Amino acid sequence: MAALAPKVLITSNSSFVGFRTLVATLEAGYRVLGAVPRREDADHIHSTPSIKRIGNLGGNLAFITVPDIAADLSLAEAVKRDVEYIIHTDSPMTVNSTITADRYDSQIVQPLLKGTNNVLSAALGNPSIKRVVMTSSLMAIAPYNELFELESFTTFNDASPIQNPDPPYENAVEALCAGKGKALAATNTFLVKNKPHFTVINLMPGIVIGHNELAKTWRDLNKGSNQQSLRHLLGEDVSTKLPSQTVFVDDVAKVHALALNTEKVAKTQNFLLSSSGNIGSLWYRALEIVKKEYMDAVKKGLLSLDGEQPINRVMVDDGKTEKVFNIKFAGFDKQIRSLLDQWVQLKMKEEKEE
C-alpha cells in the first residue's frame, strides 16, 4: 500500500490568495486540510473548475470549520488531524475600508497578531509539524509613507528591518502595515523564545493581482487588491498612490507550495515576492493594455480610459526568491490581463442575464 502524502493545514482557503494556494498545494501532491469559517465556503471551493479539474482527490482534500482564526485555541483541533505542515494565508495588502478609525487597532492589527500567534502555538503543541509558511507582506518591512506617499530611495530585501509602529494610525492601510509588521515581529520573538522543532518561511508579496476563481460576479472580483488595481481602469482619478511592486496570484500560490519543501528550502527564512525588481510595475501600463486590447469593452462601458492611478516607486531586491524557488515571476502585463479577462467575462455574463 502506497504511503499517504503529507498533509498541509491551510487557513483562509476562501480568500483570494488562500484558494489559489490550496489549488497549488494539491497540484504539488500534498493532502490538504482547509480551515474555512463556514461550511458553505467548503462547498463553494469543491464546486470550482480548478478542483474539478484536479479530478478524483481520493481523500486528499478535506475541510474543518474554524469560525475565527484569531480566537484562542482556534486551531488546536485542526493540528491533531495528521498534519505535518501549516500554511497561514492572509490578505497581503488589503483591508476592509469600512472600519472606523477608533477600531483600527482592534479590528485590523490585533486579529493579524492573534492569528499568527495561534498558528505558531498550535504548531508548537504538535511534534509532527515540520514547517509553517506564513503569508506576510512587503508592508511588514517597508514604512507606510515609503509605500504610499513618498518616493523611497531604499532597496528593500528579505533582511530589511521590520516596521512595528504603534497606534494611532492615520488610516486603515497604515494600520494594516502595522499589523503585518507586528505579526512578523511576533513570529521572530516566538522563534527566539521557544526554539521550536519546526522552521518558518515568511513570504512577503507586494500587491497581488489576477483572476479570482471564487468570484461568481464582478462585484466579488472587485475587492481587495484587485479592486485597487481596477479603480483607474473603471474611470476613477485615484488620488492615493499605489506602490510599484506587484505580483501574480498564481506565482504567490506556487511559492507557498514550494516553500513546504524542507530539503530544497532549508531553515527559517524570509522571501520577497515581486515581479519587477527595482523597475517596479508601471500602473499607467494597464491603461495602455486596455487601449490596445480591450477597446470593445471600453465601447460597451465595461472599462474606461479616463482614469488615472499615481505610482509610488518602491525598489526591492527579490533575486533570492527566484533563485531559491527556480521561478520567474510573471510580469505586470500578464497580471492585469488575467484580471481584465475575468472582469469583462463577468460583466458580460450579468448583462446577458438581465
Side-chain angles (χ1 to χ4, degrees), residues 271-272 274-276 318-330:
F271 293 95
L272 282 170
S274 182
S275 63
S276 303
D318 61 352
K320 167 187 168 183
T321 306
E322 290 191 340
K323 181 178 179 180
V324 170
F325 293 103
N326 191 28
I327 185 174
K328 179 64 178 176
F329 289 127

Side-chain angles (χ1 to χ4, degrees), residues 246-275:
T246 68
V247 63
F248 188 35
V249 63
D250 286 6
D251 290 339
V252 175
K254 183 177 181 179
V255 172
H256 276 78
L258 291 172
L260 297 171
N261 191 323
T262 56
E263 294 182 2
K264 292 185 178 181
V265 189
K267 69 183 182 181
T268 292
Q269 299 183 64
N270 299 338
F271 293 95
L272 282 170
L273 280 63
S274 182
S275 63

Side-chain angles (χ1 to χ4, degrees), residues 29 37 46 88 108 115 135 142 210 234 288 321 353:
H46 271 300
H88 180 44
I108 299 175
T135 310
L234 303 180
E288 294 176 352
T321 306
E353 292 174 348

Side-chain angles (χ1 to χ4, degrees), residues 2-302:
L4 291 174
K7 182 182 287 186
V8 185
L9 170 64
I10 304 180
T11 65
S12 301
N13 298 271
S14 54
S15 70
F16 176 40
V17 172
F19 172 74
R20 292 314 310 170
T21 298
L22 178 148
V23 172
T25 304
L26 287 169
E27 290 177 333
Y30 294 92
R31 292 183 293 156
V32 169
L33 175 61
V36 291
R38 303 169 302 173
R39 182 65 216 180
E40 50 263 42
D41 293 320
D43 295 336
H44 184 27
I45 290 170
H46 271 300
S47 71
T48 59
S50 285
I51 297 301
K52 291 179 178 179
R53 172 179 51 79
I54 293 173
N56 183 7
L57 297 174
N60 282 354
L61 176 60
F63 291 97
I64 183 170
T65 303
V66 180
D68 183 6
I69 295 291
D72 291 343
L73 302 176
S74 59
L75 297 172
E77 176 61 30
V79 294
K80 297 177 183 178
R81 300 192 179 189
D82 192 27
V83 171
E84 296 182 43
Y85 302 93
I86 300 175
I87 298 178
H88 180 44
T89 62
D90 211 338
S91 55
M93 295 186 75
T94 60
V95 71
N96 184 344
S97 60
T98 64
I99 298 175
T100 55
D102 60 314
R103 296 187 297 154
Y104 287 161
D105 187 62
S106 63
Q107 297 296 308
I108 299 175
V109 178
Q110 294 307 313
L112 286 169
L113 187 56
K114 291 176 181 177
T116 295
N117 285 330
N118 285 345
V119 168
L120 293 170
S121 296
L124 189 64
N126 185 350
S128 68
I129 299 297
K130 298 176 181 178
R131 168 157 291 171
V132 175
V133 178
M134 295 282 197
T135 310
S136 183
S137 173
L138 176 60
M139 284 179 162
I141 58 171
Y144 167 78
N145 63 347
E146 293 188 52
L147 284 174
F148 295 96
E149 296 179 345
L150 306 174
E151 182 176 359
S152 174
F153 296 96
T154 303
T155 298
F156 298 99
N157 58 43
D158 60 279
S160 295
I162 298 171
Q163 302 301 308
N164 194 6
D166 291 321
Y169 304 113
E170 180 180 331
N171 53 53
V173 177
E174 185 179 11
L176 180 60
C177 289
K180 287 295 184 179
K182 289 181 181 296
L184 183 58
T187 300
N188 289 348
T189 299
F190 176 91
L191 293 172
V192 171
K193 179 181 178 180
N194 294 284
K195 297 179 174 56
H197 57 277
F198 55 87
T199 52
V200 176
I201 300 295
N202 294 298
L203 301 179
M204 303 172 177
I207 296 177
V208 183
I209 303 173
H211 60 115
N212 181 359
E213 198 173 329
L214 293 179
K216 294 181 178 180
T217 70
W218 62 265
R219 295 172 187 82
D220 297 331
L221 184 62
N222 194 24
K223 294 179 179 179
S225 53
N226 277 336
Q227 182 184 46
Q228 292 175 319
S229 306
L230 280 168
R231 289 170 67 186
H232 68 302
L233 304 179
L234 303 180
E236 183 176 348
D237 284 330
V238 184
S239 59
T240 305
K241 294 181 180 180
L242 279 183
S244 59
Q245 296 301 332
T246 68
V247 63
F248 188 35
V249 63
D250 286 6
D251 290 339
V252 175
K254 183 177 181 179
V255 172
H256 276 78
L258 291 172
L260 297 171
N261 191 323
T262 56
E263 294 182 2
K264 292 185 178 181
V265 189
K267 69 183 182 181
T268 292
Q269 299 183 64
N270 299 338
F271 293 95
L272 282 170
L273 280 63
S274 182
S275 63
S276 303
N278 281 347
I279 298 174
S281 297
L282 305 176
W283 286 99
Y284 61 77
R285 173 63 187 154
L287 284 169
E288 294 176 352
I289 292 172
V290 170
K291 187 174 183 179
K292 183 178 180 180
E293 303 175 23
Y294 294 88
M295 283 307 298
D296 284 347
V298 173
K299 292 174 182 177
K300 293 176 181 177
L302 309 181

